[in-house]
Amino acid sequence: MKKNYYNFLDLGNQPLANFYIKKKNLKKNEKKYRLKIRFDKESKLVSITKTFSSKTMFNNEYPYRSAMSKTMKNSFLKLSKEIKEKIKPKKILEIGSNDGSFIKNFNKDMTIGIEPCANVEKITKNKRFNTYPNYWNVSLANKILKKHGKVDLIYSANTISHIKDLDDVFKAIKIILSLNGTLIIEDPSLLECLRNNAYDQFYNEHIYVFSYLSINNLVKKYGLEVYRVDNLEIHGGSIRYFIKSKEKKQKIEKSVINQKMKEIKFKLNSKISYYNFAQRVKKSKELLIKLFKNCKKEEKKIIGYGATAKSTTVLNYCGIGKDYIDYFLDTTRDKQNKYTPGTKILIKKYSIKQMKNVDYVFLGAWNFKKEILLKEKKFIKSGGKFIIHTPQPKVL
Ligand code: TMP
């Protein structure tokens, strides 16, 4: 039988990306898995081959907070304004509401947040938002339907790509979304990932990296269609898909055709693009190692900035650890005083003082490059330099 998928990239043995290590656990064995990436010829879905249960990845120790970045907060605010002016929903449900950075832009009585990581969900619950510390699935959708009725807008940013059972996700959406409702999904763009050699979009939480082509194939199975596509700079290039039921009379906007053409032109529908990408990733690894080695030869002090889940993939794939990076700085409290997964580099609380006498800063949070370079103007002016690995490893 002819197989309809291809494994095109092997990123080696990796730890779970958001599992920052406490000092007392440094000597314990870390869970590792083989990170390989697959392209499905039929559905056009690109996914990792080894997945973990949601309970393993999203629990009450989850460190990620949307509010840690101005870029994210501004993006949510801008979208909220547009939703209020143009879509005018009466009831909104957010799948993966995190710390409430999106729903806080609306009246409490018109929003429902779903956030399975209880430590994060607590933040909105304490502010009296309607939030549920549960995984999004058919049984939860039925429970919410009984209590709140249908909703006319569902928003989900950087969450659907984390859920393995997409069939359950969309069945649940169909249960709760009114026929005239709008579904807005936002996730990293496969096209931008490939264009920028951003192989660190792949880690255990990012089960899928979607393209328009794969999202369109997926949603049509549930009587839905994409009617608008926005390309965003968020997270190194994301796509916001505006989706409606097929029955709803609403024009398919030009942006949809444009995105489809761009993806076909880049050959996202054929395996050649993925094999070429894999070659570029190997080259990127060689160049990054060379760059770090050269800096160390010159006895330069290097630190990391933004201990992201993405940087877990880069550091472990390239074998860059404590020999090269003295410590990381991060603004997220739950990451501070812990160690990076796999490479065990100390993460310190961000402060300008910690950047004194530093020559090079590896930008783990490259997806917030603009925001961070602006914030660190003084460091750059005084001769400090940033190292970035995408689109090509280089010193900025
Ligand atoms: P993310 O790429 O998974 O969104 O994570 C971004 C990480 O970078 C998060 O831990 C917060 C951190 N960060 C800083 O430390 N300083 C900053 O200025 C920004 C924007 C992010």
Side-chain angles (χ1 to χ4, degrees), residues 18 20 62-66 68-72 203 205-206 235 305-311 329-333 335-336 348 350 364-369 371-373 375-376:
N18 260 318
Y20 300 89
Y62 193 61
Y64 185 77
R65 303 282 182 280
S66 303
M68 279 304 117
S69 120
K70 265 193 208 151
T71 314
M72 289 309 288
Y203 52 92
E205 279 178 21
H206 283 186
H235 287 310
Y305 194 117
T308 56
K310 291 188 226 340
S311 59
L329 297 179
D330 202 289
T331 49
T332 309
R333 224 180 46 207
K335 294 183 185 178
Q336 291 160 3
K348 294 188 182 183
Y350 168 78
W366 61 270
N367 43 321
F368 297 115
K369 184 171 112 183
E371 180 178 338
I372 292 171
L373 294 189
K375 196 161 128 189
E376 305 304 342

